[in-house]
Coordinates of all heavy atoms in Angstrom, one line a residue:
N35 N 11.5 -6.3 5.8 CA 11.5 -6.8 4.4 C 10.1 -7.0 3.9 O 9.8 -6.7 2.7 CB 12.3 -8.1 4.2 CG 13.8 -7.9 4.5 OD1 14.3 -6.9 4.2 ND2 14.4 -9.0 5.0
E36 N 9.2 -7.5 4.7 CA 7.8 -7.8 4.3 C 6.9 -7.2 5.3 O 7.0 -7.5 6.5 CB 7.5 -9.3 4.2 CG 8.4 -10.0 3.1 CD 8.0 -11.5 3.0 OE1 6.8 -11.8 3.0 OE2 8.9 -12.3 2.9
I37 N 5.9 -6.5 4.9 CA 4.9 -5.9 5.8 C 3.5 -6.2 5.3 O 3.2 -6.1 4.1 CB 5.0 -4.3 5.8 CG1 6.4 -3.9 6.3 CG2 4.0 -3.7 6.7 CD1 6.7 -2.4 6.3
L38 N 2.6 -6.5 6.2 CA 1.2 -6.7 6.0 C 0.5 -5.6 6.8 O 0.5 -5.6 8.0 CB 0.7 -8.0 6.4 CG -0.8 -8.2 6.4 CD1 -1.4 -8.1 5.0 CD2 -1.2 -9.6 7.0
I39 N -0.1 -4.6 6.1 CA -0.9 -3.6 6.8 C -2.4 -3.9 6.5 O -2.8 -3.9 5.3 CB -0.5 -2.1 6.4 CG1 -1.4 -1.1 7.1 CG2 -0.5 -1.9 4.9 CD1 -1.0 0.3 7.1
E40 N -3.1 -4.3 7.5 CA -4.4 -4.9 7.3 C -5.4 -4.3 8.3 O -5.0 -3.8 9.4 CB -4.4 -6.4 7.4 CG -3.7 -6.9 8.6 CD -4.6 -7.6 9.7 OE1 -5.7 -7.1 9.8 OE2 -4.1 -8.5 10.3
G41 N -6.6 -4.2 7.9 CA -7.7 -3.7 8.8 C -9.0 -3.5 8.1 O -9.1 -3.8 6.9
P42 N -10.0 -3.1 8.7 CA -11.3 -2.9 8.1 C -11.3 -1.8 7.0 O -10.3 -1.1 6.8 CB -12.2 -2.5 9.3 CG -11.3 -2.0 10.3 CD -10.0 -2.7 10.2
A43 N -12.4 -1.7 6.3 CA -12.5 -0.7 5.3 C -12.5 0.7 5.9 O -13.0 1.0 7.0 CB -13.8 -0.9 4.5
G44 N -11.9 1.7 5.2 CA -11.9 3.1 5.6 C -11.0 3.5 6.7 O -11.1 4.6 7.3
T45 N -9.9 2.7 6.9 CA -8.9 3.1 7.9 C -7.7 3.9 7.3 O -6.9 4.4 8.1 CB -8.3 1.9 8.6 OG1 -7.6 1.1 7.7 CG2 -9.5 1.1 9.3
G46 N -7.7 4.1 6.0 CA -6.6 4.9 5.4 C -5.4 4.1 5.0 O -4.3 4.7 4.9
K47 N -5.5 2.8 4.9 CA -4.4 1.9 4.6 C -3.7 2.3 3.3 O -2.5 2.4 3.2 CB -4.8 0.4 4.6 CG -5.4 -0.1 5.9 CD -5.8 -1.5 5.8 CE -6.9 -1.8 4.8 NZ -8.2 -1.2 5.1
T48 N -4.6 2.3 2.2 CA -4.0 2.6 0.9 C -3.3 3.9 0.8 O -2.2 4.1 0.3 CB -5.1 2.5 -0.2 OG1 -5.6 1.2 -0.2 CG2 -4.6 2.9 -1.5
R49 N -4.0 5.0 1.4 CA -3.3 6.3 1.4 C -2.0 6.3 2.1 O -1.0 6.9 1.7 CB -4.2 7.3 2.0 CG -3.6 8.7 1.9 CD -4.4 9.9 2.2 NE -3.7 11.1 2.1 CZ -4.2 12.3 2.3 NH1 -5.4 12.4 2.8 NH2 -3.4 13.4 2.2
A50 N -1.9 5.6 3.3 CA -0.7 5.5 4.0 C 0.4 4.9 3.2 O 1.6 5.4 3.2 CB -0.9 4.7 5.3
V51 N 0.1 3.8 2.5 CA 1.1 3.1 1.7 C 1.6 4.1 0.5 O 2.8 4.2 0.3 CB 0.6 1.8 1.1 CG1 1.6 1.2 0.1 CG2 0.3 0.8 2.2
L52 N 0.6 4.8 -0.1 CA 1.0 5.7 -1.2 C 1.8 6.9 -0.7 O 2.7 7.3 -1.3 CB -0.3 6.2 -1.8 CG -1.1 5.1 -2.7 CD1 -2.5 5.7 -3.1 CD2 -0.3 4.7 -3.9
E53 N 1.4 7.4 0.5 CA 2.2 8.5 1.1 C 3.6 8.1 1.3 O 4.5 8.9 1.1 CB 1.5 9.0 2.4 CG 0.2 9.7 2.2 CD 0.3 11.1 1.8 OE1 1.4 11.6 1.7 OE2 -0.8 11.8 1.6
K54 N 3.8 6.9 1.9 CA 5.2 6.4 2.1 C 5.9 6.3 0.8 O 7.1 6.8 0.7 CB 5.2 5.1 2.9 CG 6.6 4.6 3.1 CD 6.7 3.4 4.0 CE 8.1 3.0 4.3 NZ 8.3 1.9 5.3
A55 N 5.3 5.7 -0.2 CA 6.0 5.5 -1.5 C 6.4 6.8 -2.1 O 7.5 7.0 -2.6 CB 5.1 4.7 -2.4
H56 N 5.5 7.8 -2.0 CA 5.7 9.1 -2.6 C 6.8 9.8 -1.9 O 7.7 10.4 -2.5 CB 4.4 9.9 -2.6 CG 4.5 11.3 -3.0 ND1 5.0 11.6 -4.3 CD2 4.2 12.5 -2.4 CE1 5.0 13.0 -4.5 NE2 4.5 13.5 -3.3
L57 N 6.8 9.8 -0.6 CA 7.8 10.5 0.2 C 9.2 9.9 0.1 O 10.2 10.6 0.1 CB 7.4 10.6 1.7 CG 6.2 11.5 1.9 CD1 5.7 11.4 3.3 CD2 6.6 13.0 1.7
V58 N 9.2 8.6 0.0 CA 10.5 7.9 -0.2 C 11.1 8.3 -1.6 O 12.3 8.6 -1.7 CB 10.4 6.4 -0.1 CG1 11.6 5.7 -0.6 CG2 10.1 6.0 1.3
C59 N 10.2 8.4 -2.6 CA 10.7 8.8 -3.9 C 11.2 10.2 -3.9 O 12.1 10.6 -4.6 CB 9.6 8.6 -4.9 SG 9.3 6.9 -5.5
Q60 N 10.5 11.1 -3.1 CA 10.9 12.5 -3.0 C 12.3 12.6 -2.3 O 13.1 13.4 -2.6 CB 9.9 13.3 -2.3 CG 8.6 13.6 -3.1 CD 7.7 14.4 -2.3 OE1 7.4 14.1 -1.1 NE2 7.2 15.5 -2.9
A61 N 12.5 11.8 -1.3 CA 13.6 11.9 -0.4 C 14.9 11.3 -0.9 O 16.0 11.8 -0.6 CB 13.3 11.3 1.0
V62 N 14.7 10.2 -1.7 CA 15.9 9.4 -2.1 C 16.0 9.4 -3.7 O 15.1 8.9 -4.3 CB 15.8 8.0 -1.6 CG1 17.1 7.3 -1.9 CG2 15.5 8.0 -0.1
P63 N 17.1 10.0 -4.2 CA 17.2 10.0 -5.7 C 17.4 8.6 -6.3 O 18.0 7.7 -5.6 CB 18.5 10.8 -5.9 CG 18.7 11.6 -4.7 CD 18.2 10.7 -3.6
N64 N 16.8 8.4 -7.5 CA 17.1 7.2 -8.3 C 16.6 5.9 -7.8 O 17.1 4.9 -8.2 CB 18.6 7.1 -8.6 CG 19.2 8.4 -9.2 OD1 18.6 8.9 -10.2 ND2 20.3 8.9 -8.7
I65 N 15.6 5.9 -6.9 CA 15.0 4.7 -6.5 C 13.9 4.3 -7.4 O 13.3 5.1 -8.1 CB 14.6 4.7 -5.0 CG1 13.3 5.6 -4.8 CG2 15.7 5.1 -4.1 CD1 12.7 5.4 -3.5
R66 N 13.5 3.0 -7.3 CA 12.4 2.5 -8.1 C 11.4 1.8 -7.2 O 11.7 0.9 -6.5 CB 12.8 1.6 -9.2 CG 13.9 2.2 -10.1 CD 14.2 1.3 -11.3 NE 13.2 1.4 -12.3 CZ 12.4 0.5 -12.7 NH1 12.4 -0.7 -12.2 NH2 11.5 0.7 -13.7
V67 N 10.1 2.3 -7.3 CA 9.0 1.8 -6.5 C 7.9 1.3 -7.4 O 7.5 1.9 -8.3 CB 8.5 2.8 -5.5 CG1 7.3 2.3 -4.7 CG2 9.5 3.3 -4.5
L68 N 7.5 0.1 -7.1 CA 6.4 -0.5 -7.9 C 5.1 -0.5 -7.1 O 5.0 -0.9 -6.0 CB 6.7 -2.0 -8.2 CG 5.6 -2.8 -9.0 CD1 5.4 -2.3 -10.4 CD2 6.0 -4.3 -9.0
L69 N 4.0 0.0 -7.8 CA 2.7 0.0 -7.3 C 1.9 -1.1 -8.1 O 1.9 -0.9 -9.4 CB 2.0 1.3 -7.4 CG 2.7 2.5 -6.8 CD1 1.8 3.8 -6.9 CD2 3.0 2.3 -5.3
V70 N 1.3 -2.1 -7.5 CA 0.8 -3.2 -8.3 C -0.5 -3.7 -7.7 O -0.7 -3.7 -6.5 CB 1.8 -4.3 -8.4 CG1 2.2 -4.9 -7.1 CG2 1.4 -5.4 -9.4

Side-chain angles (χ1 to χ4, degrees):
N35 292 332
E36 298 183 44
I37 299 174
L38 172 62
I39 181 166
E40 48 111 326
T45 64
K47 300 180 295 297
T48 295
R49 182 170 181 184
V51 176
L52 290 170
E53 291 278 0
K54 177 170 184 175
H56 176 55
L57 288 169
V58 170
C59 284
Q60 287 182 310
V62 187
N64 302 314
I65 69 166
R66 305 189 77 245
V67 176
L68 174 66
L69 308 183
V70 64

